[in-house]
Amino acid sequence: MRIRILGSGAGGGFPQWNCNCANCRAVRAGESGFLPRTQSSLAASANGHDWVLLNASPDLRRQIEQNPELAPSGNDPVRASPIKAVVVTNGDVDHVTGLLTLREAQPFTVYGSARVLEVLAQNRIFNVLSPSCVERRELPLDTPIALKGAGADLGLSVEAFPVLGKIALWLEDALKANFGSVEGDTLGLKITESESGKAFFYIPGCAGVDAALASRLRGAALVFFDGTLWRENEMIEQGLLGKTGTRMGHINMSGPDGSIAAFAPLGVARKIYVHINNSNPALNAFSKERREAEAAGWAVGEDAMEVLL
Ligand code: MLT
Ligand code: MN
Ligand code: ZN
């Protein structure tokens, strides 16, 4: 199975269009140690021809150009795409708006929770994905299903499971508990190659590693995990946004409550951070925070990084 990081950044990307923080300044200036990052998405393929996208980011058009495997080629018909399916983990702007890039009457299947499919149905702009060619399928929880699209069986299954988190920012209801979030508003995915049984996890948004998630991940071969923040308060400290990680529904990397500590006893063979916010000091390849993450066995994801499983 081939797994490609299309975008390793969080919402806004790196640099973010309106951000003049130290990291964004450094990456704009091309300083060594800083790589630009597009927004949150992965792609996976069992046969190297048919691909599933895990989330569809606003940068998808550029990501397809950066990853030629995702573009038509060779003897393909005049209209063709290797992208046969898209699985979305929540309703974040960084995870659904790339669906609009996939208009132009190309068949594929969108998989999402009932609540995310409802969001797509209520926002009529998504009708550019005509129901006559783009199928929408509900992702059941805790039940693996075979991934299919445009007449192809991808040779992969997806199991969606709820993780701690929050409803998408733009869907928050200030009057309701946890802003109107219900279980399943933030999903993790387990993708399994049918033939080999090899599997990886993709969890780009997660507010905490509870006992259920820890037992699910114990001994896993490969996990892509929420790397939004280094510290709970870093956005406030940098004057970027008056919100903590907890308020945003994202666990931080460092400290006793962070993901580095939570994963330490789990024996995960390969751990890669994705959905990394531009405020995160671990984006700097020469920072002490990067050294600390790497010393704990983590890799900081980069765009176009490929992992073979
Ligand atoms: C998040 O991951 O918290 C969201 O992408 C925030 C946003 O939509 O800006
Ligand atoms: Mn996000
Ligand atoms: Zn910034």
Side-chain angles (χ1 to χ4, degrees):
M1 174 163 46
R2 290 171 68 185
I3 304 136
R4 183 71 65 85
I5 298 180
L6 303 184
S8 53
F14 186 49
Q16 178 173 311
W17 74 280
N18 64 341
C19 192
N20 201 27
C21 76
N23 276 348
C24 286
R25 279 202 308 274
V27 73
R28 270 192 204 101
E31 276 183 33
S32 75
F34 293 86
L35 288 174
R37 285 172 162 82
T38 62
Q39 294 168 78
S40 183
S41 178
L42 253 66
S45 177
N47 62 15
H49 301 295
D50 301 313
W51 291 80
V52 58
L53 302 185
L54 308 180
N55 288 322
S57 102
D59 298 319
L60 181 54
R61 184 177 172 281
R62 177 147 152 238
Q63 292 167 341
I64 292 170
E65 294 191 353
Q66 288 170 340
N67 297 275
E69 290 83 353
L70 300 178
S73 64
N75 295 325
D76 282 344
V78 287
R79 283 288 172 90
S81 172
I83 298 168
K84 301 293 194 266
V86 181
V87 183
V88 298
T89 59
N90 65 4
D92 270 10
V93 168
D94 41 337
H95 291 160
V96 300
T97 50
L99 291 172
L100 300 175
T101 299
L102 299 177
R103 65 195 184 279
E104 318 292 4
Q106 189 64 36
F108 66 98
T109 304
V110 179
Y111 293 86
S113 69
R115 296 245 290 177
V116 167
L117 293 186
E118 195 184 306
V119 161
L120 300 183
Q122 281 172 2
N123 287 270
R124 293 183 55 200
I125 195 168
F126 289 103
N127 288 349
V128 292
L129 305 177
S130 157
S132 66
C133 66
V134 178
E135 200 180 345
R136 300 179 187 187
R137 280 184 176 266
E138 185 179 333
L139 273 179
L141 290 183
D142 301 313
T143 312
I145 56 166
L147 284 171
K148 297 178 182 175
D153 183 332
L154 299 190
L156 300 170
S157 70
V158 60
E159 178 180 354
F161 51 89
V163 297
L164 294 175
K166 168 184 89 47
I167 194 168
L169 173 62
W170 65 279
L171 289 167
E172 286 185 2
D173 182 342
L175 302 176
K176 292 188 177 159
N178 199 17
F179 307 99
S181 312
V182 302
E183 189 185 65
D185 277 342
T186 309
L187 295 178
L189 304 177
K190 181 182 187 183
I191 304 289
T192 305
E193 186 180 37
S194 314
E195 201 172 297
S196 66
K198 290 179 178 174
F200 72 94
F201 290 87
Y202 173 57
I203 309 170
C206 184
V209 181
D210 60 6
L213 182 58
S215 75
R216 205 183 276 277
L217 299 182
R218 191 164 285 116
L222 173 63
V223 179
F224 295 90
F225 193 75
D226 184 341
T228 310
L229 303 174
W230 179 259
R231 268 191 314 279
E232 164 81 348
N233 284 322
E234 75 191 34
M235 298 205 59
I236 298 170
E237 288 164 9
Q238 297 179 42
L240 302 175
L241 184 72
K243 284 184 183 173
T244 60
T246 304
R247 170 65 185 83
M248 294 190 290
H250 294 294
I251 188 175
N252 39 278
M253 294 180 176
S254 65
D257 303 323
S259 53
I260 292 176
F263 273 71
L266 299 184
V268 173
R270 198 155 178 199
K271 302 173 281 193
I272 303 178
Y273 280 124
V274 291
H275 194 279
I276 306 157
N277 193 56
N278 56 77
S279 57
N280 192 325
L283 282 172
N284 176 356
F286 304 123
S287 63
K288 65 178 192 329
E289 291 85 357
R290 174 72 70 92
R291 276 201 302 281
E292 191 178 326
E294 288 178 348
W298 284 87
V300 173
E302 295 175 2
D303 291 15
M305 181 188 271
E306 181 162 295
V307 183
L308 298 176
L309 202 59

